[in-house]
Amino acid sequence: MPPRFLPWMALSLISCSDYAFSGEKDPWPGDDSADPSSEGDADVDADADSDTDSDVDLPPEIFLDACAPDVTASFDSGEIYVKSWERETDSGTLTADQSGWYHVYDYSLAESGSSQTNEVSYLRITNSRRPDGEPYWENCAGEWIVDDFDNSGSVEGRRIYTGTFWLEAGANDLALIHYCPLERRGYCPDFHDTSDAASTCDSDGPNSVHFNGAGLCLLRIDLPAP
């Protein structure tokens, strides 16, 4: 995986994507009290904010090759990581300058290439306005799953879309959660790579996913406030 570890991120404009998205079940590990939101795609027809982004009603492009540093934020917890079995969740603090909806990008969360083929994960970002931390759009059972993009080659230097989240100005809790517990519960099998039996979600392979905000980039999006 590429390195991903700088403490700042930026905000700018981005376009729509044809990345597939659908889902229907609760993936939150263990505790059903944190059911994902049923909220999904919503048309937005008026851009009333002062930024320069376009109105969109779909998730953005998966890859982002450049990020203009207009607004800064930081991930203040160093490196966090999860594995497919014994360490399924980890968390840290994301501090943002301004409240709003943001597409959140970072360098690839996977880092082991074809030696670990299910380094798949998702984020939740919680705060007082969004206590469950669910993303605005979802591609699997209420979550935005970040696929293992380095299985077939390096994606070093390319930022990857990790979801659209409401951030409050100040501290927000960012949780990194491994996908494999979802797969073992029968959810979203399309994200499961079974090409290597030693690295499936049912194997004892670690399939570790790492996050520390190296290439973090926030792109503001005009959506209804929660």
Side-chain angles (χ1 to χ4, degrees), residues 26 28-36 124 131-132:
D26 167 22
W28 192 250
D31 182 1
D32 286 339
S33 65
D35 287 347
R124 285 204 176 192
D132 290 336

Side-chain angles (χ1 to χ4, degrees), residues 154-220:
S154 173
V155 290
E156 184 174 359
R158 303 193 74 189
R159 291 176 176 88
I160 292 170
Y161 175 66
T162 64
T164 299
F165 298 92
W166 177 269
L167 302 181
E168 285 287 281
N172 301 263
D173 184 72
L174 183 152
L176 175 66
I177 307 165
H178 207 286
Y179 154 77
C180 279
L182 286 185
E183 192 282 328
R184 290 193 292 267
R185 292 167 58 193
Y187 298 100
C188 307
D190 288 349
F191 289 96
H192 192 206
D193 188 330
T194 59
S195 61
D196 180 359
S199 190
T200 68
C201 286
D202 299 313
S203 74
D204 60 2
N207 285 306
S208 61
V209 181
H210 300 253
F211 182 94
N212 67 10
L216 214 49
C217 182
L218 299 183
L219 307 181
R220 190 178 184 109

Side-chain angles (χ1 to χ4, degrees), residues 141-162:
E143 310 298 340
W144 187 270
I145 303 298
V146 183
D147 213 342
D148 189 340
F149 286 106
D150 77 341
N151 282 344
S152 55
S154 173
V155 290
E156 184 174 359
R158 303 193 74 189
R159 291 176 176 88
I160 292 170
Y161 175 66
T162 64

Side-chain angles (χ1 to χ4, degrees), residues 58-143:
L58 293 171
E61 297 290 346
I62 293 301
F63 291 100
L64 181 71
D65 293 317
C67 184
D70 294 335
V71 170
T72 60
S74 61
F75 185 68
D76 305 326
S77 304
E79 183 176 25
I80 60 175
Y81 70 95
V82 293
K83 297 181 179 180
S84 58
W85 286 101
E86 71 273 18
R87 188 185 177 95
E88 298 169 358
T89 67
D90 199 0
S91 63
T93 301
L94 189 160
T95 302
D97 286 349
Q98 300 177 22
S99 299
W101 286 105
Y102 292 90
H103 301 323
V104 178
Y105 281 83
D106 198 13
Y107 292 143
S108 177
L109 306 184
E111 62 181 7
S112 302
S114 58
S115 67
Q116 296 183 32
T117 54
N118 283 284
E119 295 174 297
V120 184
S121 61
Y122 57 98
L123 302 180
R124 285 204 176 192
I125 302 179
T126 61
N127 48 58
S128 59
R129 292 285 294 274
R130 200 79 166 163
D132 290 336
E134 68 273 29
Y136 188 83
W137 284 290
E138 53 95 4
N139 61 5
C140 165
E143 310 298 340

